[in-house]
């Protein structure tokens, strides 16, 4: 870690305050574009990705894995956004180098906030569905894409409606509206029986909340009247409402990814961790409060929706251990990202013009200052699958 701090100090050369300012400007610029952003209206003809192309029937095996469920359908933020933000008017994007540094044979940026694949790609593969889970707003979705699942996630969003507004991205409420459109397209493409099968046996994954804490509450101070506890309660209330709506829309197997130790990601260490860039206790306190509240909320939702399976996949402790003991997971660096200085670069700040890439990505837990590397995601998904998803689909 001392070596990593030395590297960062030399490369920063006193620019830490400038980086903080750039992040603030990034968020402010997003906020000023709210009135003009392309808001999803619920019409499949009003946006990109409305074309459905007939293809061969879905394969029953992916890399030798038997297809275990009919589809994987995902909602959330940049951790699980495979490129929906490419199709909307926002500066929160990752469809440029060096994003995609290790993605496929052509190493191309796709809109994933990572050097390669993201968690939902690995989950789709583990479920025997396909190698990559596509964005719902991707152009020319195939029939196979629709029937085996898509992601509605939008980088920069959160359970708190204000978070999506500030970042000019797709809100969780709008993602539910997109899901209604998706159901209509599945019904048109394959009939009521196919849709019923997806709703009954598909996996519906939800990952959000980090941007509420990191961006809305701490960086933008947009909820300054809330204490840590009251803001956590606000997040839980909105998350519960979203999940209630998803279950009411027919989903029966729902996996909710818990809040991570957001105060320990590189950018939050830089912004709130003091001179030593320690984990920010305030961020982690809210995350822990949200996770506790979501545990109670999940039990209430199961009681309210008999027959539904809802599980809270707790990644907090496991990811914290990866951050504290990176060498135990095959990493050397967990306090800095691979992109640029590793302290602040994320989204437009991590670019091919101003940001060099580290020498060996495999040694880094984080790709940029906020998002883990493909290698870290693979390890995390193995944990989630073995400890939660296997039971959910049994």
């Amino acid at each position: 870690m001392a070596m990593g701090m030395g590297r960062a100090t030399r490369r920063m050369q006193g620019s830490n305050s400038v980086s903080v300012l750039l992040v603030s400007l990034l968020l402010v610029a997003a906020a000023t574009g709210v009135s003009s952003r392309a808001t999803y209206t619920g019409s499949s003809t009003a946006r990109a990705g409305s074309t459905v192309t007939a293809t061969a029937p879905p394969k029953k095996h992916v890399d030798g894995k038997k297809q275990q469920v009919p589809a994987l359908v995902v909602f959330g933020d940049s951790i699980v956004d495979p490129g929906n933000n490419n199709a909307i008017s926002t500066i929160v994007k990752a469809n440029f180098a060096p994003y995609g540094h290790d993605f496929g044979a052509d190493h191309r940026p796709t809109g994933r906030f990572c050097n390669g694949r993201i968690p939902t790609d690995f989950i789709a593969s583990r479920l025997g569905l396909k190698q990559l889970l596509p964005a719902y707003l991707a152009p020319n979705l195939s029939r196979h894409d629709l029937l085996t699942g898509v992601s509605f996630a939008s980088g920069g969003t959160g359970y708190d409606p204000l978070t999506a507004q500030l970042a000019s991205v797709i809100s969780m409420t709008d993602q539910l509206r997109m899901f209604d459109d998706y159901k209509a397209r599945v019904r048109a493409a394959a009939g009521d029986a196919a849709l019923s099968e997806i709703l009954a046996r598909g996996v519906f994954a939800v990952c959000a909340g980090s941007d509420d804490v990191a961006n809305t509450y701490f960086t933008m101070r947009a909820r300054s009247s809330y204490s840590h506890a009251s803001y956590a309660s606000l997040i839980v209330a909105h998350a519960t409402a979203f999940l209630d709506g998803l279950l009411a829309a027919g989903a029966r197997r729902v996996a909710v990814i818990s809040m991570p130790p957001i105060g320990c990601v590189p950018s939050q260490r830089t912004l709130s961790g003091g001179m030593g860039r320690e984990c920010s206790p305030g961020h982690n306190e809210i995350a822990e409060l949200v996770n506790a509240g979501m545990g109670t909320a999940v039990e209430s939702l199961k009681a309210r929706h008999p027959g539904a399976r809802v599980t809270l996949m707790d990644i907090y402790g496991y990811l914290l251990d990866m951050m504290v003991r990176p060498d135990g997971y095959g990493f050397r660096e967990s306090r800095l990202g691979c992109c640029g200085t590793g302290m602040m670069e994320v989204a437009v700040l991590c670019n091919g013009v101003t940001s060099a890439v580290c020498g060996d990505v495999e040694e880094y837990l984080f790709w940029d200052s906020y998002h883990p590397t493909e290698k870290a995601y693979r390890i995390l998904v193995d944990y989630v699958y073995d400890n939660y998803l296997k039971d959910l689909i049994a």
Side-chain angles (χ1 to χ4, degrees):
M1 289 184 182
M3 289 178 62
M5 283 297 293
R7 158 189 169 261
T9 302
R10 288 192 299 271
R11 295 180 64 183
M12 283 293 283
Q13 296 183 332
S15 66
N16 184 51
S17 60
V18 176
S19 295
V20 174
L21 177 60
L22 282 173
V23 169
S24 298
L25 290 173
L26 173 67
L27 291 169
V28 170
T32 59
V34 169
S35 61
S36 62
R37 80 178 176 96
T39 302
Y40 181 75
T41 62
S43 169
S44 62
T45 60
R47 46 136 186 90
S50 59
T51 302
V52 179
T53 313
T55 62
K59 296 178 181 178
K60 294 301 181 183
H61 298 79
V62 174
D63 284 349
K65 300 181 182 72
K66 182 179 180 182
Q67 184 173 328
Q68 303 178 65
V69 297
L72 172 65
V73 179
V74 176
F75 306 82
D77 57 23
S78 59
I79 301 299
V80 291
D81 178 3
N84 283 306
N85 279 13
N86 297 351
I88 64 173
S89 178
T90 179
I91 58 173
V92 185
K93 295 179 186 286
N95 57 346
F96 46 83
Y99 288 100
H101 181 272
D102 303 290
F103 188 89
D106 53 356
H107 307 280
R108 60 188 171 87
T110 62
R112 289 169 170 82
F113 292 79
C114 188
N115 63 304
R117 288 167 290 175
I118 57 176
T120 41
D121 296 323
F122 290 115
I123 293 174
S125 178
R126 289 295 300 266
L127 293 174
L129 291 168
K130 48 195 173 187
Q131 289 289 341
L132 303 172
L133 191 76
Y136 186 59
L137 297 185
N140 301 318
L141 280 180
S142 70
R143 182 176 184 272
H144 176 241
D145 289 331
L146 283 175
L147 297 184
T148 52
V150 296
S151 174
F152 302 103
S154 178
T157 201
Y159 290 122
D160 181 351
L162 182 58
T163 300
Q165 185 181 3
L166 290 170
S168 227
V169 295
I170 306 169
S171 70
M172 297 299 285
T173 300
D174 278 345
Q175 290 181 36
L176 267 185
R177 294 193 184 103
M178 292 163 70
F179 179 53
D180 285 338
D181 184 48
Y182 166 81
K183 290 193 295 182
R185 294 176 70 185
V186 168
R187 184 181 291 112
D192 288 331
L195 176 59
S196 296
E197 177 74 356
I198 290 172
L199 293 174
R201 295 187 55 249
V203 171
F204 296 82
V206 184
C207 176
S210 295
D211 292 323
D212 295 325
V213 177
N215 297 340
T216 302
Y217 190 83
F218 281 103
T219 301
M220 295 293 286
R221 306 287 177 179
R223 295 290 192 186
S224 58
S225 64
Y226 287 78
S227 67
H228 291 183
S230 62
Y231 190 59
S233 295
L234 178 73
I235 293 174
V236 171
H238 283 297
T240 303
F242 172 84
L243 293 169
D244 192 47
L246 179 59
L247 290 162
R252 283 298 168 264
R253 295 182 177 184
V254 179
V256 185
I257 300 173
S258 77
M259 286 276 290
I262 189 65
C264 297
V265 305
S267 63
Q268 304 312 300
R269 285 178 179 269
T270 302
L271 290 170
S272 303
M275 291 297 292
R277 297 184 65 253
E278 303 301 327
C279 293
S280 169
H283 290 65
N284 288 349
E285 179 188 7
I286 296 179
E288 290 177 357
L289 288 169
V290 169
N291 289 342
M294 287 305 299
T296 302
V298 162
E299 295 306 314
S300 298
L301 287 165
K302 288 192 288 189
R304 196 179 310 153
H305 297 272
R309 300 182 184 181
V310 186
T311 185
L312 179 64
M313 302 193 298
D314 186 1
I315 63 167
Y316 186 99
Y318 189 78
L319 187 53
L320 181 61
D321 193 55
M322 292 175 70
M323 294 171 172
V324 173
R325 297 190 314 107
D327 55 322
Y329 299 86
F331 300 102
R332 177 182 62 81
E333 179 59 73
S334 65
R335 293 166 58 92
L336 298 167
C338 172
C339 182
T341 66
M343 286 186 170
M344 292 298 300
E345 292 84 350
V346 63
V348 297
L349 297 179
C350 172
N351 60 77
V353 177
T354 65
S355 306
V357 174
C358 62
D360 189 353
V361 183
E362 291 287 302
E363 294 186 343
Y364 282 70
L365 180 63
F366 287 93
W367 162 246
D368 58 22
S369 69
Y370 200 82
H371 305 95
T373 57
E374 177 185 81
K375 177 182 173 180
Y377 280 144
R378 183 188 297 111
I379 294 170
L380 194 58
V381 166
D382 285 343
Y383 169 79
V384 164
Y385 183 86
D386 291 339
N387 288 276
Y388 298 102
L389 283 176
K390 284 201 300 187
D391 290 338
L392 183 68
I393 66 176

